[in-house]
Amino acid sequence: MEKIKESCLSSSPLNMSDLFTAITNDVVCRSAFGRKYRDGAIGEKFLQLISEFLGLLGTISVGEFIPWLVWINRVNGFDARVDYVAKELDEFLEGVIQEHADMENSSGNDESGENFIDILLKIYKDNTTGVSIDRDSIKAIILDVFAAGTDTTSTVLEWAMTELLRHPIVMKKLQNELRGILNGKQDITDVDLEKMHYLKAVVKETLRYHTPIPLLVPREARKDVNVMGYDIAAGTMVMTNAWAIGRDPLYWDEPEKFQPERFLNSSIDFKGLDFQLIPFGAGRRGCPGISFAMSTNELVLASIIQKFDWELPNGAKGEDLDMGERPGVSIHRKIPLFAVATRCYF
Ligand code: HEM
């Protein structure tokens, strides 16, 4: 907030895309690792590795689709990049785990400020719980949370802010709701968020209109099935186009318009039970991070929209914004979003 305030005082444009990436990195790092990993040589290396890792996840590997062409991955350097990133990330995560183990040894069994790694390490050491976990699994779980939770959440914030800047009436309506509920209060609580129905509708509409992972995560059919008249043989890789479902005119009125109002008097939710809106997938492998993601999205959006007025730089209009998308597992803006905080309310 201080950084935005500074830019507001000097009326300088802020790279909102970078800002949202930094916030979500910090939030997930503090929950998963117990501290931020942004500054210094280690932080820089970590961010660069994560970016490589996500890039590799989003790369189409020929061998995955045409198995006899798998040798191409060796020739074009894909396998070498995977090996390099796997080794470096493993070393990094080993270091993080060791740091926590050392801290615990030096400070006894202090429960204060316990984070995800501390809890996993406890399960690792404690064999009275009936649950066992090895060191590799700890590393895999932490990386899973980081990779699944950071990029996706910042994508939602980036597109939500883009749409708010393109739709000044929606922005004003949201600001009125937030300022009405908070009434000058600076800290936003869970109880406040519960009352913010328009905010929730804006986030839902962003998840529908800019589905962060458009093709979800591929699944494999375990047995022969028939879905809506289509035969799917056991072993077939199935991809779900959640983006297309979210824009299907059979289920949505004017699907190509960004209209949060459509969710105000509707019970449609994204928890995997209403199949016309499945940005988090569905079923037992559906996203376990929904609550974490929604709290982060709602809290960040509510804070920046309540505390500041926003405009596009150099008097640009919403319709001037480039809406191009960058390919990847989660779909970011092709060009970073810049905006100016024109007035500060704290
Ligand atoms: C807006 C943000 C997010 C979106 C759109 C999203 C979306 C998804 C999707 C589509 C899947 C695959 C579901 C399926 O195949 O049915 C998934 C899986 C997963 N997500 Fe999220 N996610 C988000 C945030 C998070 C966060 C914050 C975390 C953790 C803190 C998280 C952790 C995971 C994990 C661990 C899986 C794998 C689950 C499994 O394979 O059983 N996600 N997510």
Side-chain angles (χ1 to χ4, degrees):
M1 286 306 141
E2 287 309 317
K3 192 172 171 192
I4 304 179
K5 196 172 181 178
E6 259 172 48
S7 78
C8 180
L9 294 175
S10 60
S11 303
S12 37
L14 258 183
N15 185 331
M16 303 303 290
S17 303
D18 278 358
L19 190 85
F20 292 139
T21 304
I23 294 175
T24 45
N25 268 348
D26 287 353
V27 170
V28 177
C29 272
R30 288 179 77 171
S31 314
F33 304 151
R35 73 169 173 96
K36 297 183 202 170
Y37 279 91
R38 177 140 51 102
D39 305 321
I42 297 184
E44 253 170 51
K45 176 149 190 209
F46 174 59
L47 291 183
Q48 184 231 324
L49 275 175
I50 286 292
S51 142
E52 272 262 350
F53 176 67
L54 292 172
L56 285 169
L57 276 183
T59 305
I60 292 178
S61 139
V62 183
E64 211 173 302
F65 295 92
I66 313 171
W68 65 270
L69 287 179
V70 73
W71 55 270
I72 291 183
N73 293 345
R74 276 198 308 279
V75 179
N76 67 10
F78 182 81
D79 283 354
R81 279 172 64 209
V82 170
D83 289 347
Y84 167 78
V85 172
K87 183 173 158 293
E88 293 288 314
L89 270 178
D90 188 72
E91 271 172 26
F92 172 80
L93 292 169
E94 197 53 58
V96 174
I97 292 178
Q98 202 48 50
E99 193 178 296
H100 281 256
D102 293 346
M103 262 184 325
E104 206 205 37
N105 290 340
S106 62
S107 63
N109 228 357
D110 182 8
E111 301 251 327
S112 63
E114 198 176 46
N115 54 59
F116 199 35
I117 296 195
D118 297 330
I119 295 165
L120 291 172
L121 275 172
K122 238 184 217 169
I123 300 172
Y124 172 64
K125 285 188 201 154
D126 185 358
N127 40 23
T128 58
T129 55
V131 183
S132 68
I133 188 168
D134 60 24
R135 217 166 159 102
D136 276 347
S137 301
I138 296 183
K139 287 185 266 184
I141 293 172
I142 305 166
L143 184 61
D144 211 10
V145 166
F146 196 88
T150 316
D151 213 31
T152 42
T153 310
S154 66
T155 311
V156 177
L157 289 168
E158 195 183 33
W159 286 114
M161 190 67 185
T162 302
E163 293 299 349
L164 289 172
L165 288 161
R166 268 161 47 95
H167 297 88
I169 295 175
V170 176
M171 173 78 98
K172 197 77 229 147
K173 231 171 139 174
L174 178 59
Q175 252 163 358
N176 288 344
E177 175 181 84
L178 302 174
R179 289 176 187 165
I181 290 171
L182 295 167
N183 199 14
K185 190 162 76 85
Q186 293 305 325
D187 291 334
I188 304 173
T189 62
D190 286 347
V191 177
D192 298 323
L193 288 178
E194 271 322 299
K195 296 181 204 148
M196 298 175 178
H197 302 294
Y198 197 65
L199 170 72
K200 289 181 192 298
V202 167
V203 178
K204 265 190 194 172
E205 180 67 341
T206 308
L207 287 163
R208 179 193 73 83
Y209 199 54
H210 297 283
T211 310
I213 311 181
L215 299 179
L216 306 183
V217 173
R219 305 291 184 97
E220 191 179 303
R222 289 200 302 184
K223 53 182 187 189
D224 294 348
V225 278
N226 183 288
V227 180
M228 296 168 81
Y230 293 92
D231 287 322
I232 299 172
T236 307
M237 188 198 282
V238 182
M239 289 171 145
T240 311
N241 193 338
W243 177 90
I245 295 172
R247 293 186 182 219
D248 189 335
L250 266 181
Y251 303 105
W252 302 99
D253 287 336
E254 302 194 283
E256 296 302 328
K257 287 193 176 154
F258 183 84
Q259 282 173 345
E261 286 71 15
R262 72 175 81 241
F263 286 109
L264 284 182
N265 292 311
S266 152
S267 61
I268 296 176
D269 211 346
F270 41 65
K271 296 198 178 131
L273 296 174
D274 300 308
F275 293 127
Q276 63 272 57
L277 186 70
I278 47 167
F280 295 101
R284 63 182 174 163
R285 297 306 296 265
C287 178
I290 298 183
S291 304
F292 192 109
M294 292 313 289
S295 310
T296 313
N297 284 327
E298 290 174 7
L299 196 58
V300 173
L301 261 195
S303 304
I304 65 169
I305 302 299
Q306 178 231 356
K307 291 185 172 63
F308 302 94
D309 285 343
W310 293 92
E311 270 177 18
L312 286 168
N314 308 320
K317 295 269 162 277
E319 54 271 26
D320 300 332
L321 259 178
D322 185 324
M323 295 295 282
E325 298 172 341
R326 179 155 44 96
V329 183
S330 44
I331 304 297
H332 279 273
R333 289 177 52 80
K334 190 169 171 191
I335 297 175
L337 177 69
F338 279 85
V340 185
T342 54
R343 195 163 163 206
C344 173
Y345 292 80
F346 74 106

